[in-house]
């Protein structure tokens, strides 16, 4: 824009001698020159404004790029797509199936957000969740009680069986010794 105005101004300056011969006065030519200078200043101001906007956009882009790198690093720590041997994990396949289109991603996000909001605002869903939670707690308590009973029964059985098993092992050992002696007396190997 500035270059075009400068070129136009140079053409007009070359025209001044011609204008002098024509019916335009010096004051009119001077006024035209001032008008072009004013337009040149306006164009330079507009150019500076555009340069300033460009600088802001470049700064925003650099910040967004930096933020994206930080987010990528954080995401890879939370949900890696490769294991320590650089083998691809199943998460990469899932991510590759997702759309790269921003509009599609925003639609899917809004859809998921709506489902979450529906779950929270729907009293039936909340009620079913609370009931399920209570059932789980009740079953957990029953399981804990059964585990405790099993432990108690195991301890009681050990108290009962340990002395009995020890006495039984002594009796069997004694019977084996007597049977062996009896068989030796009869002249049989045994």
């Amino acid at each position: 824009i500035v270059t075009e105005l400068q070129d136009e101004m140079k053409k007009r300056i070359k025209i001044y001698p011609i204008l002098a011969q024509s019916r335009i006065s010096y004051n009119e030519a001077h006024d035209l020159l001032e008008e072009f200078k004013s337009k040149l200043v306006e164009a330079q101001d507009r150019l500076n404004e555009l340069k300033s906007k460009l600088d802001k956009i470049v700064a925003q882009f650099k910040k967004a790029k930096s933020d994206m790198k930080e987010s990528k690093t954080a995401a890879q720590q939370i949900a890696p797509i490769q294991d320590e041997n650089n083998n691809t994990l199943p998460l990469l396949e899932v991510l590759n199936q997702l759309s790269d289109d921003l509009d599609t991603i925003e639609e899917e996000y809004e859809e998921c957000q709506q489902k979450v909001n529906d779950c929270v605002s729907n009293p039936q869903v909340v009620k079913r969740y609370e009931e399920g939670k209570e059932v789980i707690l009740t079953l957990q308590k029953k399981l804990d009680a059964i585990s405790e009973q099993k432990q108690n029964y195991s301890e009681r059985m050990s108290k009962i069986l340990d002395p009995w098993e020890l006495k039984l092992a002594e009796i069997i050992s004694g019977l084996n010794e007597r049977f062996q002696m009896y068989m030796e007396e009869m002249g049989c190997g045994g």
Side-chain angles (χ1 to χ4, degrees), residues 18-69:
I18 298 169
L19 291 176
Q21 295 172 356
S22 68
R23 296 188 178 181
I24 290 183
S25 69
Y26 173 78
N27 288 338
E28 290 173 332
H30 186 280
D31 290 343
L32 282 174
L33 179 63
E34 290 300 320
E35 181 183 336
F36 283 121
K37 284 182 181 178
S38 172
K39 287 183 180 181
L40 179 62
V41 169
E42 288 175 13
Q44 287 175 333
D45 289 345
R46 179 73 177 132
L47 178 64
N48 290 336
E49 183 181 312
L50 291 174
K51 284 181 181 179
S52 174
K53 284 184 180 180
L54 177 64
D55 290 342
K56 287 179 184 177
I57 291 171
V58 168
Q60 288 174 346
F61 174 76
K62 287 180 180 178
K63 181 170 180 352
K65 187 175 178 181
S66 172
D67 291 347
M68 189 263 324
K69 284 182 181 179

Side-chain angles (χ1 to χ4, degrees), residues 122-184:
N122 186 344
Q124 293 298 323
V125 173
V126 174
K127 183 179 177 184
R128 284 180 36 210
Y129 169 76
E130 292 296 330
E131 289 172 353
K133 190 175 173 182
E134 288 178 21
V135 168
I136 290 172
L137 288 173
T138 303
L139 292 174
Q140 186 64 44
K141 287 179 184 177
K142 285 182 181 179
L143 180 63
D144 292 344
I146 291 171
S147 295
E148 188 176 324
Q149 283 180 344
K150 178 185 171 196
Q151 183 66 30
N152 290 341
Y153 287 141
S154 293
E155 289 174 4
R156 284 178 49 200
M157 290 300 286
S158 290
K159 287 179 183 177
I160 293 170
L161 291 179
D162 285 349
W164 183 79
E165 285 178 343
L166 184 60
K167 189 68 172 172
L168 182 62
E170 289 175 8
I171 291 172
I172 291 174
S173 177
L175 280 175
N176 283 340
E177 287 177 20
R178 287 188 189 129
F179 185 74
Q180 184 179 7
M181 286 175 27
Y182 173 73
M183 294 303 272
E184 284 177 7

